[in-house]
Amino acid sequence: MENLLTSKILRSTTHSPINAHFSKNSSDFVVRENPLYEFSGDGEWLIIQIQKKDLSTNEALRIFSEQSGIKMRDFGFAGLKDKMGLTTQFISMPFKFSSFLSKFESEKIKIISTHRHNNKLKIGHLKSNSFFIRLKKVMPSDATKLNSVIAQINKNGFGNYFGYQRFGKFNDNFTLGEQILKDIKNGKKSKFNPKMTNFFISAFQSELFNRWLSKRIEISHFANDFSQKEIADIYKFDPQTAKSLKSQKQFFKLILGDVLGHYPHGKVFLCEDLSDEIEHFKVHNKTPMGALIGKKCFESKGIANKIESEIFDKFSEFLPFMNGSRRYAWIWADNLESKYDEQNAHFSLSFTLPKGSYATTLLSEILGVNLGEFD
């Protein structure tokens, strides 16, 4: 069985690996969740902004549950945050239990603020995440290289790959997800609980998304480096498609029939006027959307669909058992800035990413290393 895992994905940057040391800890990896909307100030729910140190979101909620008596399912959150590091996020709980907060104690959790609200938080109810990352053991020559790559990424953006965290310590979550889908197709019940079953199926979809994105980045590299005729010969594209790819000046190439989305949030639609959509893409108003395969996934057309089919069709038997959706394939880091402390050989990064994106994916682009090599 083919098992092309995320360690083999292509990056838009092509520089050799840059020497730097990165470790997820509360001093060198800081995440702050930015809420999607202002909280109403009244209602049956209490929104708590917490700062946690070296705890997963579920571990933090378990501490709140133990001290309040609230069941885990009655808490809400907008996104799962990394365990290692210093992370700030919002959680929700029924307001009627709020009196316990005056006695709440935890060495690893700090309550920053509380807000009344009329809705329970759900996954996705956040605008973005802001990050601070400190790299260590960075020599001046490597700091210069880092700044050059950052300038390139600020100009071009980068591929929104799923991070290595999604695929498991042994990169086997994809295989587990595929086996679960085979069992479901054959009328067998998954041996995992519903939460883990959904997680492994999601990892399966995520791996296929990464494979497709890697293929599109490959095409973009070839469009930059090869002639129109060579592009047509390599990919069996018609002359008009090859000409269009070669003529595009931005790194990531759009294709007629792509599924696009308004960026950084908005509805998905079909790319029918390529020249117009390229101009929107250049100013970060719209961006391609890769498929998380399933029966309800918005369908691409033409050459764009043919490229997807090369990746996805071998798994089409599983489509009825997944809903499917679309995910931004190409994104930009807002406010991407750096600072070099030559005396301590520290190189600091700060930036903001759309929800659901991985800081380690951006770091992989910057350092020129495969996902997971620096964890």
Side-chain angles (χ1 to χ4, degrees):
M1 179 175 58
E2 185 184 20
N3 195 23
L4 299 176
L5 293 168
T6 49
S7 59
K8 299 179 181 179
I9 62 177
L10 290 179
R11 296 182 295 274
S12 60
T13 53
T14 58
H15 60 283
S16 58
I18 299 174
N19 293 321
H21 176 75
F22 170 64
S23 176
K24 275 189 177 180
N25 60 67
S26 57
S27 297
D28 300 330
F29 186 74
V30 180
V31 187
R32 186 184 76 252
E33 186 176 88
N34 301 313
L36 183 61
Y37 41 67
E38 291 187 8
F39 303 115
S40 63
D42 56 34
E44 298 180 0
W45 296 90
L46 184 70
I47 308 296
I48 309 172
Q49 186 181 27
I50 64 170
Q51 183 182 81
K52 60 185 183 64
K53 179 179 179 181
D54 298 333
L55 285 174
S56 69
T57 298
N58 283 330
E59 288 171 340
L61 292 179
R62 192 168 293 109
I63 291 172
F64 275 98
S65 178
E66 290 171 352
Q67 295 196 31
S68 67
I70 302 173
K71 294 179 180 180
M72 288 283 288
R73 64 172 180 265
D74 291 330
F75 288 99
F77 54 90
L80 294 171
K81 294 294 176 288
D82 298 80
K83 175 173 181 175
M84 304 309 297
L86 187 67
T87 60
T88 299
Q89 70 176 117
F90 294 89
I91 64 172
S92 66
M93 54 167 277
F95 178 76
K96 62 184 179 180
F97 293 102
S98 61
S99 60
F100 89 95
L101 291 174
S102 61
K103 300 178 181 179
F104 179 80
E105 293 184 356
S106 173
E107 293 182 355
K108 293 188 174 183
I109 300 175
K110 177 182 179 181
I111 295 176
I112 298 176
S113 64
T114 59
H115 312 265
R116 292 283 292 272
H117 193 53
N118 47 18
N119 290 320
K120 180 181 180 180
L121 284 180
K122 296 182 179 180
I123 289 289
H125 284 187
L126 71 156
K127 180 181 180 181
S128 58
N129 292 294
S130 296
F131 298 87
F132 169 84
I133 291 175
R134 181 184 288 114
L135 305 175
K136 296 180 177 178
K137 302 178 183 179
V138 179
M139 296 297 101
S141 59
D142 289 316
T144 300
K145 294 177 184 177
L146 286 168
N147 281 321
S148 176
V149 174
I150 288 169
Q152 180 181 347
I153 292 174
N154 263 327
K155 176 184 177 182
N156 295 333
F158 65 102
N160 190 28
Y161 285 112
F162 282 96
Y164 64 91
Q165 304 96 319
R166 171 137 320 198
F167 303 105
K169 183 177 181 180
F170 302 105
N171 267 345
D172 60 351
N173 287 355
F174 167 78
T175 305
L176 291 169
E178 184 178 11
Q179 186 58 55
I180 288 170
L181 288 166
K182 285 182 178 180
D183 289 342
I184 294 173
K185 179 177 179 291
N186 293 326
K188 298 179 182 178
K189 185 177 180 180
S190 171
K191 64 180 180 180
F192 300 99
N193 64 42
K195 182 177 179 180
M196 292 307 299
T197 293
N198 291 335
F199 174 76
F200 287 130
I201 291 175
S202 176
F204 171 83
Q205 295 170 300
S206 303
E207 169 62 21
L208 296 183
F209 173 96
N210 278 9
R211 295 184 191 184
W212 166 83
L213 180 54
S214 185
K215 185 67 175 182
R216 288 295 298 266
I217 289 176
E218 175 195 287
I219 292 172
S220 297
H221 277 301
F222 276 46
N224 288 331
D225 299 338
F226 290 82
S227 69
Q228 178 181 325
K229 183 179 184 306
E230 288 171 324
I231 296 166
D233 290 342
I234 292 168
Y235 294 107
K236 310 303 179 187
F237 288 153
D238 62 88
Q240 186 58 40
T241 298
K243 181 180 179 180
S244 170
L245 288 167
K246 188 62 185 175
S247 67
Q248 294 181 44
K249 303 303 180 184
Q250 81 283 354
F251 170 76
F252 191 84
K253 314 303 181 188
L254 304 191
I255 296 175
L256 198 65
D258 267 334
V259 175
L260 305 179
H262 293 274
Y263 186 86
H265 46 77
K267 294 182 178 180
V268 300
F269 59 96
L270 204 62
C271 178
E272 297 177 310
D273 185 340
L274 186 59
S275 59
D276 182 61
E277 302 304 355
I278 288 172
E279 295 306 310
H280 284 289
F281 177 59
K282 287 179 179 179
V283 295
H284 311 174
N285 286 339
K286 299 176 182 178
T287 195
M289 304 282 285
L292 298 173
I293 65 169
K295 58 188 175 184
K296 296 183 179 180
C297 185
F298 194 104
E299 188 176 355
S300 58
K301 300 293 183 183
I303 298 298
N305 182 262
K306 180 181 177 182
I307 296 170
E308 289 186 348
S309 295
E310 292 174 358
I311 306 293
F312 303 143
D313 275 4
K314 66 188 71 176
F315 304 104
S316 60
E317 62 183 308
F318 302 136
L319 291 181
F321 312 107
M322 299 176 287
N323 284 331
S325 62
R326 289 276 169 174
R327 165 187 168 88
Y328 291 131
W330 198 258
I331 63 173
W332 297 266
D334 290 335
N335 305 312
L336 175 55
E337 298 177 349
S338 64
K339 183 178 180 180
Y340 182 52
D341 178 355
E342 183 173 352
Q343 182 175 354
N344 292 306
H346 291 174
F347 191 95
S348 300
L349 295 163
S350 60
F351 52 89
T352 298
L353 295 179
K355 64 182 180 181
S357 303
Y358 291 79
T360 46
T361 298
L362 174 57
L363 194 56
S364 171
E365 288 277 354
I366 292 173
L367 293 179
V369 299
N370 290 335
L371 297 175
E373 286 187 5
F374 42 75
D375 187 52

